[in-house]
Amino acid sequence: MLSRKGIIPEEYVLTRLAEDVPDHARYRARERRARFVGKNGACNQGRFLQDVFTTLVDLKWPHTLLIFTMSFLCTWLLFGMVWWLIAFAHGDLDHSTRLQRDPGEGAAGPPASFVPCVTSIHSFTSAFLFSIEVQVTIGFGGRMVTEECPAAILVLIVQNIVGLVINAIMLGCIFMKTSQAHRRAETLIFSKHAVIALREGKLCFMLRVGDLRKSMIISATIRMQVVKKTASLEGEVVPLNQIDIQMENPVGGNSIFLVSPLIIYHVIDKNSPLYDISPMNLHHHEDLEIIVILEGVVETTGITTQARTSYLADEILWGQRFVPIVAEEDGRYSVDYSKFGNTVKVPTPSCTARQLEEDKSIMDTMTLSPKGTMRRRSVKLKPKFTIS
């Protein structure tokens, strides 16, 4: 059993809300590097309108509903105007033509009934109502198309096809929007800051990831990329070069068992793009961004979801590590999410991983804290939330 013992602070609540948290005052007046991926996982790119269906799916619900409502209203008004013009051209709106006599019978002959294109259309309002009845196939019975006008039959066919196309697009878009896993990804949280500290005698880049829901993410995998400007030997400049970096986690490999918050780390070795990074490089002018991507299958729906975040250079803390938030109390494990992003300072050499590997004497001059010095909490709090 897992229990949650605290409310997560505002700056660590959701990855979707992380961008709304103001940075420290010392960074407000300085220009920062443009993000390739936002803290909430949104890519810093514009939307293209070549694919209208995908654009409608990506829009927010109020905008999508407004577009669909205006689509129906505009088509109803357009075809209502077409029906009114047909009735006007055929003389259905002229009351003097309602009763006509057969020329062969003479003046004393029996009156011949006038056959309109559409019955019971006397004004634009009635034409508009008939347009609604045709497109949504209501059919109240008061108005109907006769065989007098072939043009009216053609307009009837066209309006039915247009109505079916709009209904198909609307139903498909609503289904896609409701089946998207964006909301599930919002409950996959990342620590606001990443840290670099020693682990097993090596510098490691570390971050914390957690899940706020009871339902698990099946086959969860996590990977990281470094995005920075590079130049090839031939002089070609790549402004956004994406470099994969190898990750380690307590389970092993890229697959994780996200039943409780995990600290994912990357060992900075000679194959790492962070091999020459030092504390002097971790400022907001540094051309460095680390993207973290978490993918998995939602247990309840079977839909694949993806959560993303990124860390700029000034969001990486050197010489700190995350405080433990999982403890065993009353025969079950409890998670204190109020300390999800809290870090503490630890002894860490202020040099690059290259210098640390080349000069082993740097480790001898450091005083590392012995194991087991962390005090166990003596006060047992009743968990506020429980995960089974």
Side-chain angles (χ1 to χ4, degrees):
M1 300 288 291
L2 285 178
S3 61
R4 301 177 183 177
K5 296 170 51 181
I7 303 299
I8 193 169
E10 182 181 357
E11 61 267 24
Y12 307 110
V13 172
L14 297 176
T15 58
R16 305 293 174 185
L17 303 179
E19 282 188 334
D20 299 333
V21 181
D23 293 319
H24 198 272
R26 62 192 181 96
Y27 293 135
R28 291 179 180 175
R30 303 180 182 179
E31 183 179 359
R32 301 184 65 180
R33 178 188 184 275
R35 286 186 180 275
F36 184 62
V37 174
K39 294 293 287 185
N40 63 351
C43 296
N44 189 14
Q45 296 177 352
R47 177 181 287 115
F48 299 94
L49 297 178
Q50 283 81 1
D51 190 352
V52 179
F53 182 78
T54 305
T55 302
L56 291 176
V57 174
D58 292 338
L59 288 176
K60 295 182 178 180
W61 274 107
H63 299 159
T64 303
L65 296 178
L66 177 62
I67 290 175
F68 284 141
T69 303
M70 295 305 298
S71 299
F72 281 115
L73 289 177
C74 291
T75 53
W76 292 342
L77 288 172
L78 175 63
F79 283 99
M81 179 63 68
V82 173
W83 289 116
W84 183 84
L85 291 176
I86 291 177
F88 178 79
H90 190 255
D92 299 352
L93 303 179
D94 189 1
H95 296 282
S96 62
T97 61
R98 294 286 179 181
L99 294 177
Q100 293 183 351
R101 294 181 181 273
D102 188 357
E105 298 292 339
S113 299
F114 174 77
V115 180
C117 290
V118 182
T119 60
S120 301
I121 288 186
H122 310 292
S123 62
F124 177 77
T125 304
S126 58
F128 177 72
L129 292 176
F130 179 71
S131 175
I132 298 176
E133 294 176 14
V134 170
Q135 187 161 332
V136 299
T137 63
I138 295 178
F140 291 115
R143 285 171 285 269
M144 64 179 181
V145 178
T146 64
E147 58 184 13
E148 182 70 16
C149 301
I153 300 176
L154 179 61
V155 173
L156 178 67
I157 295 173
V158 172
Q159 185 171 4
N160 275 281
I161 294 175
V162 172
L164 290 175
V165 171
I166 294 178
N167 289 334
I169 296 176
M170 182 186 68
L171 292 176
C173 184
I174 291 178
F175 175 77
M176 293 297 296
K177 289 182 69 68
T178 53
S179 62
Q180 283 181 327
H182 292 334
R183 295 299 180 185
R184 184 62 180 92
E186 290 179 356
T187 57
L188 299 174
I189 58 175
F190 301 90
S191 56
K192 183 181 179 182
H193 294 90
V195 298
I196 293 180
L198 287 174
R199 175 174 280 194
E200 302 297 335
K202 296 181 180 180
L203 286 176
C204 296
F205 173 88
M206 293 175 284
L207 61 98
R208 177 175 277 166
V209 60
D211 189 2
L212 296 178
R213 280 189 178 270
K214 295 181 180 180
S215 59
M216 294 181 55
I217 298 296
I218 304 174
S219 302
T221 59
I222 191 168
R223 66 181 190 269
M224 288 194 302
Q225 289 182 342
V226 173
V227 178
K228 60 186 301 185
K229 181 190 295 184
T230 59
S232 63
L233 298 177
E234 294 77 14
E236 179 186 3
V237 177
V238 182
L240 295 174
N241 188 22
Q242 302 180 25
I243 307 172
D244 290 330
I245 57 179
Q246 185 65 32
M247 297 189 59
E248 300 291 341
N249 59 72
V251 182
N254 291 334
S255 299
I256 59 176
F257 185 55
L258 198 57
V259 67
S260 63
L262 298 177
I263 296 178
I264 310 300
Y265 67 96
H266 158 68
V267 179
I268 305 177
D269 53 13
K270 61 181 179 180
N271 298 322
S272 171
L274 307 178
Y275 195 47
D276 295 318
I277 293 294
S278 67
M280 302 300 296
N281 302 118
L282 300 182
H283 54 80
H284 64 284
H285 291 297
E286 181 69 18
D287 184 18
L288 176 65
E289 181 176 0
I290 299 178
I291 301 174
V292 183
I293 303 173
L294 173 62
E295 292 181 336
V297 179
V298 182
E299 184 180 23
T300 54
T301 62
I303 301 174
T304 302
T305 184
Q306 184 182 94
R308 300 179 297 267
T309 190
S310 68
Y311 298 97
L312 296 181
D314 58 339
E315 296 172 342
I316 302 174
L317 307 179
W318 189 279
Q320 299 195 32
R321 68 182 176 193
F322 294 103
V323 299
I325 60 176
V326 180
E328 184 179 0
E329 295 181 355
D330 297 333
R332 59 179 178 179
Y333 292 99
S334 60
V335 181
D336 190 356
Y337 275 94
S338 63
K339 301 178 180 180
F340 183 80
N342 292 3
T343 59
V344 293
K345 292 184 177 181
V346 292
T348 306
S350 300
C351 63
T352 64
R354 180 190 298 274
Q355 296 173 347
L356 183 62
E357 184 176 356
E358 294 176 352
D359 189 1
K360 300 296 184 179
S361 61
I362 298 178
M363 293 293 298
D364 299 335
T365 59
M366 296 185 55
T367 304
L368 301 179
S369 58
K371 297 181 180 180
T373 56
M374 187 173 299
R375 294 181 298 175
R376 183 182 298 271
R377 298 184 60 177
S378 58
V379 180
K380 297 183 180 180
L381 302 177
K382 185 178 180 180
K384 296 183 179 180
F385 303 97
T386 302
I387 305 179
S388 58

